[in-house]
Amino acid sequence: MRVNPVVELAFVFGPFRLIPSRQLLLRDNRPVKLGGRALDILHLLVMRAGEEVSKTALIEFAWPNVFVDERNLKVHISALRRALEDTLAQATFIATVVGHGYQFVGRVQSERVDMADFSTTSDDERVTCSLPALCTLIGRQRDVEGVARALDFTSLVTLVGPGGVGKSSLAIAVAH
């Protein structure tokens, strides 16, 4: 017997289910890999399905209080279309309203989902780490610690140097 099941609102369209509160898009109950901004854009589009949504409204929803170039929106819309396999001339889900914005043209239903149904996954369905394999770094422990320490104070650290000195290997080691 379950006590207090966690029930969330989901938007269902085609084989997809979007659960905005979890930043989760499922296709046939399997997670679709998408970034948070793309999921925010999709969330606003499905909430206003059938309506034209301006580029400004999408940018303000996905990037609140931040100046963002319109090209960033186009990149995320393109990623969404690829993830939704919506790449044909006739839009299945996301249509461009030339000069204005975008419109979600697919049929959307909302439903309540019990998140307990998604909490257990089999070994072959678990999301695995997408980082490249960790390689052995010799004599770079101070560098790894320094970059990790810098990340405690800021969310972006730039590694610079000539090609072949191990910038990528260092970044991978810090990420692991």
Side-chain angles (χ1 to χ4, degrees):
M1 180 173 134
R2 286 189 214 169
V3 179
N4 298 331
V6 179
V7 177
E8 312 238 358
L9 178 66
F11 297 98
V12 180
F13 51 95
F16 298 98
R17 178 178 285 137
L18 174 66
I19 307 170
S21 61
R22 300 288 173 132
Q23 287 274 294
L24 181 62
L25 177 65
L26 302 169
R27 179 189 176 105
D28 300 323
N29 290 331
R30 291 184 174 206
V32 175
K33 189 175 179 180
L34 269 178
R37 304 287 188 196
L39 287 167
D40 288 341
I41 292 165
L42 181 60
H43 180 199
L44 183 58
L45 287 170
V46 298
M47 280 193 320
R48 295 176 53 187
E51 299 176 30
E52 175 187 317
V53 182
S54 72
K55 294 174 188 176
T56 304
L58 287 165
I59 289 171
E60 288 174 358
F61 189 80
W63 292 272
N65 304 317
V66 177
F67 173 78
V68 175
D69 190 273
E70 190 177 297
R71 288 175 284 199
N72 287 340
L73 177 61
K74 290 180 182 180
V75 167
H76 288 296
I77 291 288
S78 179
L80 275 172
R81 286 181 169 145
R82 279 192 309 275
L84 299 173
E85 296 176 3
D86 190 10
T87 56
L88 301 175
Q90 181 66 32
T92 306
F93 297 113
I94 301 173
T96 301
V97 181
V98 179
H100 297 284
Y102 299 91
Q103 180 178 10
F104 196 87
V105 294
R107 185 168 170 252
V108 179
Q109 295 177 314
S110 59
E111 70 177 19
R112 300 232 175 253
V113 292
D114 184 347
M115 290 311 295
D117 295 339
F118 299 106
S119 63
T120 57
T121 57
S122 64
D123 289 338
D124 60 337
E125 290 181 6
R126 283 200 184 112
V127 177
T128 58
C129 178
S130 62
L131 288 172
L134 180 62
C135 59
T136 304
L137 293 179
I138 299 172
R140 303 288 301 268
Q141 190 57 36
R142 262 183 67 202
D143 296 333
V144 171
E145 291 169 0
V147 172
R149 204 170 29 257
L151 286 168
D152 288 338
F153 300 102
T154 184
S155 59
L156 176 68
V157 173
T158 303
L159 303 176
V160 296
V165 297
K167 298 178 298 291
S168 296
S169 297
L170 177 60
I172 292 166
V174 171
H176 276 281

